[in-house]
Amino acid sequence: MPARLATAGLMTAGLMAAGLLLSPTSMVAAATPAADGVDPAALDNLLHQDCGSCHGMTLKGGLGPPLTSERLSAYDTDTLTTLILDGLPGTAMPPWRGVLSPQQAHWIADALKHQPAAPQESP
């Protein structure tokens, strides 16, 4: 095995062990619904850890665009739910259908729409 692949494998294993990178299996486990179909604590963790890996840990942007309530104000919750479930073809936004239920995706969309506004930075 080339050294570069071995190093990448060790880094990934280390991040997973440290809880900084979720495997697809752990993402499903993290999003396992409670009896009513939604586990807010698990979904909040998934939102900040998994969505945050592209959209920034504070959801203010990174590889993907910001997920602030101001930026998302033009979209209704149903549109955001569909975007979460089906992804955005031609971009890095993957579909989460099969990992998240429609109810879980709706909870995330609603949480994004109703998050507190980011404080304004001083000049």
Side-chain angles (χ1 to χ4, degrees), residues 81-99:
T81 299
T82 300
L83 185 98
I84 292 166
L85 290 172
D86 298 331
L88 195 58
T91 73
M93 176 62 188
W96 286 83
R97 191 178 300 277
V99 175

Side-chain angles (χ1 to χ4, degrees), residues 69-95:
S69 55
E70 295 86 12
R71 183 170 188 289
L72 300 175
S73 65
Y75 304 98
D76 63 36
T77 304
D78 290 338
T79 299
L80 293 174
T81 299
T82 300
L83 185 98
I84 292 166
L85 290 172
D86 298 331
L88 195 58
T91 73
M93 176 62 188

Side-chain angles (χ1 to χ4, degrees), residues 3-123:
R4 181 177 245 167
L5 288 177
T7 302
L10 289 174
M11 287 176 57
T12 300
L15 288 170
M16 287 178 76
L20 299 175
L21 180 67
L22 296 176
S23 69
T25 304
S26 65
M27 288 189 297
V28 172
T32 300
D36 65 353
V38 174
D39 181 345
L43 291 173
D44 187 62
N45 184 59
L46 184 132
L47 173 62
H48 286 89
Q49 294 297 316
D50 292 284
C51 301
S53 68
C54 287
H55 295 280
M57 295 308 287
T58 60
L59 304 177
K60 294 180 184 173
L63 171 66
L67 296 179
T68 60
S69 55
E70 295 86 12
R71 183 170 188 289
L72 300 175
S73 65
Y75 304 98
D76 63 36
T77 304
D78 290 338
T79 299
L80 293 174
T81 299
T82 300
L83 185 98
I84 292 166
L85 290 172
D86 298 331
L88 195 58
T91 73
M93 176 62 188
W96 286 83
R97 191 178 300 277
V99 175
L100 295 173
S101 70
Q103 294 82 7
Q104 292 166 323
H106 187 271
W107 186 94
I108 291 171
D110 192 58
L112 289 170
K113 291 284 292 178
H114 296 99
Q115 64 187 314
Q120 298 294 321
E121 293 184 19
S122 302

